[in-house]
Amino acid sequence: MQHLKYLYKFLWKHKLKLLVGTFFVLISNFFALYPAEFVRKAFDTILENTHNINHFNNTNKIILKYTSLILLFSVLKGVFMFFMRQTIIVVSRYIEFDLKNEIYKKYQQLNLEFYKKNKTGDLMNRISEDVSKVRMAVGPGLMYTINITTLFFLVINRMLDINSKLTLYTLIPFPLLAISIYYVSNKINVRSEKAQKQLSKITAITQESYSGIEIIKSFNQQKNILKNFVNQCKKYTKKQIDLIEIEAFFFPLIIVLIGSSTLITIYIGGLESFKNNISTGNIAEFIIYINMLAWPIASIGWITSLLQRASASQERINKFLKIKPKINQNKTKKTLIKGNIKFKDVSLIYNDTNIKALNCINLEIQEGKTLGVFGKTGSGKTTLLDLITRLYDTNSGKIFIDNIDIKKINLSSLRSYIGYVPQDGYLFSGTIKDNIIFSSDNYNYNKMVAAAKYAEILDEINSFKDGFNTIVGERGVQLSGGQKQRLSIARVFYKNPLMYIFDDCLSAIDKQKSKNILINLNKKMKSKTSIIVSHKISSLEKLDDIIVLKKGEIIQKGSHTDLIKTEGYYKEVFIKQSSNLENI
Ligand SMILES: Nc1ncnc2c1ncn2[C@@H]1O[C@H](COP(=O)(O)OP(=O)(O)OP(=O)(O)O)[C@@H](O)[C@H]1O
Ligand SMILES: [Mg+2]
């Protein structure tokens, strides 16, 4: 259970509420205890007066008194149980909130490498299922533990006061009850987890089959997909049936064990009553006590298994919270920069694949100049850009911005200066407007329209029925590839940053539109450092400088006019692309 120690800080934070909650538990148990005594007294009164008709009215009054008291105490017990839940369970929801936020904050800090290593499903589970399991331990788990302990001591004390022999006999089945409930709950948990996992699988399959619907249909794979789906559903049903089988044991088990305790009470209690050691009312009182103890004792097993699961979940959460972000956040003051970028002997090997994506890059982009990056697929273009945005850090060598080591610049201020259009322009499932203004904290309609205009997408947006309020379907499925790219570009224009970084984001845009965007960019880029990665030479020819990458190394460097005069890869591609066939 040591992993749950992490929760102390949260429990401490809410200590007052928890203390008040414990107090409510005590009071509610106090009110739960007395009705049993009233029942005994009522029984004994009836027994004493059954043969005396003259005492009827008096007996009636006494019985009425006890009935009202039982009713009153039950209501009070209920009221305090309500308060008990209102405090302890509410605290568990606060802790759930705190823990979820802590995890989410961590997600935001961790770098790209972490996301490449971990599956989305696992990350989602940490924040949803694992936190829920922990909440169950700090909510119901804690509440029932306090409840059981106090109730147990109060009731057993009361029972021992009446008759210790009868107490011992009636309690015989109880340890058995606790152990078997523990065993059954554990099995229930294991099976329910299996069913849950299967359900997640079905959800994943369903989700994939919707998002990949175009490919499924075009490859005519509907039947196979359906077959797979039905198979997974069958497995799920089987797992649910397994679960129901074991769940069906739960209540009968409790009933059998309470029943046996009750029988023992009646039998031993009867014998004791004959010997005049207890009254018959005591037997009734005992039966009530047994019923009061049954659920708490059954809960011991349930709580133990709850705590075990919470501990396993917390262990996973702790492991993840301990991960230190590899990219140092650098909380120094916001650094004012102008935009001179310098690479000095920069290399990068990706840890997970051991691929040397960049090898000893030396490069300088003067403030306000434009650089084109050209090269075959896999040559390291995206990697080069990722180092500037610090999605990754260099293994060796240094990058300087305005002669300041990039690692010494406040990370969030660095990123605020950069307008980055990634290669796979991701769109969120909101409206077009949401996607464009995403890059800034302020909303300005005119700026948004201008950004769309510069990105050559304004006409299309206006032609949509809902204009800027058109919902971009999940992953932007309602838009064409080129439209998605242009929206990603509009997002960056709206940001109006100090530096522009375009990663092959004109690939699905026709030549004329690409040209216009670049002209607009040129207008905007005036005095702004920009890097443009492209496979199309037409997108690079106007830039100040161009580098050609091959296997992570710069093999050619110069302006477009220089490069087309020099024998090499750039010139080869230029000739091919200039021919009508490739010049799309
Ligand atoms: N996150 C990563 N983890 C491990 N290896 C990576 C990662 N990203 C890229 N690589 C590898 O690094 C090399 C350079 O990749 P990079 O994405 O920089 O190429 P690129 O020039 O942008 O290619 P493209 O034109 O296809 O976009 C490739 O061999 C690739 O397999
Ligand atoms: Mg790339």
Side-chain angles (χ1 to χ4, degrees):
M1 298 292 147
Q2 49 163 333
H3 305 294
L4 293 175
K5 277 187 189 156
Y6 188 78
L7 301 171
Y8 286 171
K9 65 172 183 186
F10 297 119
L11 293 172
W12 183 247
K13 186 175 161 191
H14 300 286
K15 55 185 178 301
L16 249 173
K17 271 213 164 79
L18 287 172
L19 218 69
V20 174
T22 312
F23 176 68
F24 287 144
V25 173
L26 273 171
I27 301 188
S28 84
N29 281 338
F30 170 82
F31 286 120
L33 196 68
Y34 278 89
E37 214 173 305
F38 299 146
V39 169
R40 189 237 311 153
K41 285 181 181 161
F43 254 82
D44 289 346
T45 315
I46 295 169
L47 208 70
E48 271 167 28
N49 300 303
T50 34
H51 302 301
N52 200 339
I53 195 82
N54 297 335
H55 290 166
F56 179 76
N57 273 344
N58 203 18
T59 313
N60 207 4
K61 264 190 204 154
I62 296 173
I63 304 288
L64 253 172
K65 182 182 108 186
Y66 287 131
T67 317
S68 327
L69 276 173
I70 292 173
L71 199 72
L72 177 73
F73 274 52
S74 304
V75 170
L76 286 171
K77 175 190 152 196
V79 169
F80 283 100
M81 271 179 85
F82 170 78
F83 288 140
M84 161 181 105
R85 293 192 75 88
Q86 278 293 309
T87 43
I88 300 182
I89 302 291
V90 166
V91 163
S92 77
R93 290 290 179 194
Y94 284 137
I95 293 180
E96 180 186 27
F97 172 81
D98 290 343
L99 196 58
K100 272 194 178 172
N101 277 318
E102 197 170 325
I103 297 176
Y104 194 78
K105 205 170 155 200
K106 189 81 190 181
Y107 279 151
Q108 300 293 313
Q109 289 169 356
L110 287 168
N111 37 288
L112 230 56
E113 205 174 321
F114 168 83
Y115 285 95
K116 297 239 156 118
K117 259 190 218 153
N118 292 283
K119 285 193 222 140
T120 316
D122 286 342
L123 303 183
M124 304 273 281
N125 274 347
R126 257 350 56 84
I127 211 162
S128 55
E129 273 186 40
D130 282 334
V131 174
S132 311
K133 280 181 197 157
V134 172
R135 188 204 73 84
M136 282 300 282
V138 284
L142 187 68
M143 186 179 78
Y144 284 119
T145 310
I146 302 171
N147 198 14
I148 291 166
T149 325
T150 50
L151 194 69
F152 201 77
F153 279 110
L154 287 173
V155 172
I156 300 279
N157 196 25
R158 198 61 212 108
M159 286 168 88
L160 284 172
D161 256 4
I162 297 166
N163 189 306
S164 47
K165 185 179 165 194
L166 185 57
T167 309
L168 288 179
Y169 274 104
T170 45
L171 290 183
I172 289 173
F174 277 71
L176 206 68
L177 176 65
I179 293 168
S180 37
I181 293 292
Y182 170 67
Y183 181 74
V184 171
S185 324
N186 244 355
K187 281 224 146 168
I188 289 179
N189 288 339
V190 170
R191 292 189 187 184
S192 111
E193 240 154 62
K194 278 188 184 161
Q196 200 57 41
K197 264 197 186 141
Q198 187 59 25
L199 185 65
S200 309
K201 223 178 192 175
I202 294 177
T203 318
I205 291 176
T206 318
Q207 200 188 351
E208 264 196 3
S209 62
Y210 291 144
S211 47
I213 192 74
E214 287 165 9
I215 299 177
I216 295 171
K217 279 190 190 281
S218 58
F219 280 85
N220 212 8
Q221 286 296 312
Q222 294 96 317
K223 266 193 190 152
N224 284 338
I225 293 280
L226 181 66
K227 213 161 94 189
N228 185 24
F229 182 77
V230 171
N231 276 339
Q232 298 298 342
C233 283
K234 269 187 194 156
K235 278 189 194 161
Y236 177 65
T237 314
K238 162 94 183 44
K239 289 195 164 121
Q240 277 293 357
I241 291 172
D242 286 351
L243 176 64
I244 292 163
E245 243 168 36
I246 192 82
E247 270 179 348
F249 269 107
F250 198 79
F251 283 105
L253 201 71
I254 296 180
I255 288 166
V256 166
L257 287 163
I258 298 175
S260 33
S261 240
T262 313
L263 281 179
I264 295 174
T265 311
I266 293 170
Y267 180 67
I268 306 281
L271 292 180
E272 288 291 292
S273 166
F274 264 123
K275 289 182 203 158
N276 265 340
N277 287 342
I278 55 168
S279 69
T280 29
N282 281 132
I283 301 178
E285 190 180 357
F286 253 71
I287 292 175
I288 296 176
Y289 288 143
I290 290 165
N291 278 283
M292 277 168 72
L293 283 182
W295 173 241
I297 289 188
S299 312
I300 294 176
W302 178 68
I303 291 170
T304 317
S305 121
L306 204 84
L307 284 174
Q308 276 178 348
R309 293 208 306 162
S311 174
S313 287
Q314 189 63 43
E315 186 184 1
R316 284 194 288 270
I317 295 174
N318 289 349
K319 235 188 228 162
F320 153 78
L321 284 178
K322 266 190 210 139
I323 304 174
K324 289 243 162 7
K326 281 204 179 131
I327 308 275
N328 179 7
Q329 293 285 322
N330 204 334
K331 300 254 161 45
T332 49
K333 270 200 316 227
K334 200 170 155 73
T335 327
L336 278 174
I337 52 177
K338 289 180 182 148
N340 178 293
I341 304 172
K342 207 186 286 168
F343 278 63
K344 198 157 185 288
D345 301 329
V346 171
S347 298
L348 185 98
I349 300 174
Y350 283 112
N351 287 333
D352 36 346
T353 52
N354 244 345
I355 288 175
K356 193 164 199 170
L358 288 179
N359 188 17
C360 208
I361 300 283
N362 281 296
L363 176 73
E364 180 167 4
I365 313 158
Q366 299 282 349
E367 173 198 335
K369 295 281 178 202
T370 54
L371 176 83
V373 183
F374 189 69
K376 281 188 184 155
T377 160
S379 56
K381 302 182 294 294
T382 302
T383 309
L384 187 95
L385 305 184
D386 285 350
L387 290 181
I388 300 173
T389 49
R390 281 195 78 202
L391 290 176
Y392 287 95
D393 265 344
T394 51
N395 297 124
S396 65
K398 278 188 173 169
I399 299 174
F400 298 91
I401 299 209
D402 291 358
N403 288 323
I404 311 169
D405 185 343
I406 200 168
K407 288 183 190 168
K408 294 205 174 114
I409 298 176
N410 177 311
L411 187 62
S412 86
S413 95
L414 171 76
R415 289 186 181 154
S416 71
Y417 287 124
I418 299 174
Y420 178 47
V421 187
Q423 199 161 6
D424 48 350
Y426 181 84
L427 297 181
F428 295 97
S429 55
T431 58
I432 289 183
K433 173 184 153 195
D434 295 337
N435 273 288
I436 295 181
I437 67 168
F438 174 82
S439 53
S440 170
D441 295 334
N442 316 310
Y443 167 61
N444 180 317
Y445 177 78
N446 292 336
K447 252 177 79 184
M448 175 177 75
V449 174
K453 193 162 176 263
Y454 283 136
E456 288 286 310
I457 188 147
L458 185 60
D459 290 347
E460 275 144 288
I461 294 177
N462 285 336
S463 72
F464 294 146
K465 188 168 63 71
D466 297 323
F468 280 95
N469 291 323
T470 306
I471 301 280
V472 177
E474 207 177 315
R475 299 188 309 123
V477 280
Q478 287 176 3
L479 299 174
S480 74
Q483 284 170 336
K484 276 188 243 172
Q485 283 191 337
R486 277 174 288 147
L487 263 190
S488 312
I489 296 172
R491 176 153 68 197
V492 163
F493 279 142
Y494 186 79
K495 183 175 176 179
N496 192 19
L498 186 78
M499 292 185 245
Y500 284 92
I501 295 182
F502 278 23
D503 190 359
D504 202 16
C505 57
L506 300 166
S507 59
I509 305 173
D510 66 52
K511 199 174 172 188
Q512 190 50 47
K513 280 206 166 70
S514 296
K515 236 182 186 161
N516 292 345
I517 292 174
L518 285 168
I519 291 170
N520 295 335
L521 189 60
N522 240 332
K523 273 193 229 154
K524 294 211 96 192
M525 277 192 309
K526 253 187 283 163
S527 76
K528 288 189 178 175
T529 315
S530 320
I531 304 177
I532 295 171
V533 167
S534 182
H535 285 278
K536 290 197 238 166
I537 288 192
S538 58
S539 305
L540 302 175
E541 54 193 24
K542 297 265 162 40
L543 305 180
D544 297 323
D545 231 346
I546 296 164
I547 55 167
V548 182
L549 285 178
K550 187 180 177 186
K551 291 186 183 157
E553 288 180 18
I554 300 178
I555 50 162
Q556 281 185 285
K557 199 172 180 180
S559 68
H560 173 74
T561 18
D562 294 340
L563 288 174
I564 51 170
K565 282 185 210 144
T566 329
E567 287 309 312
Y569 180 65
Y570 190 88
K571 189 178 169 188
E572 274 169 40
V573 182
F574 174 69
I575 293 168
K576 269 192 215 158
Q577 288 190 1
S578 303
S579 73
N580 276 340
L581 255 183
E582 297 244 5
N583 198 9
I584 325 158

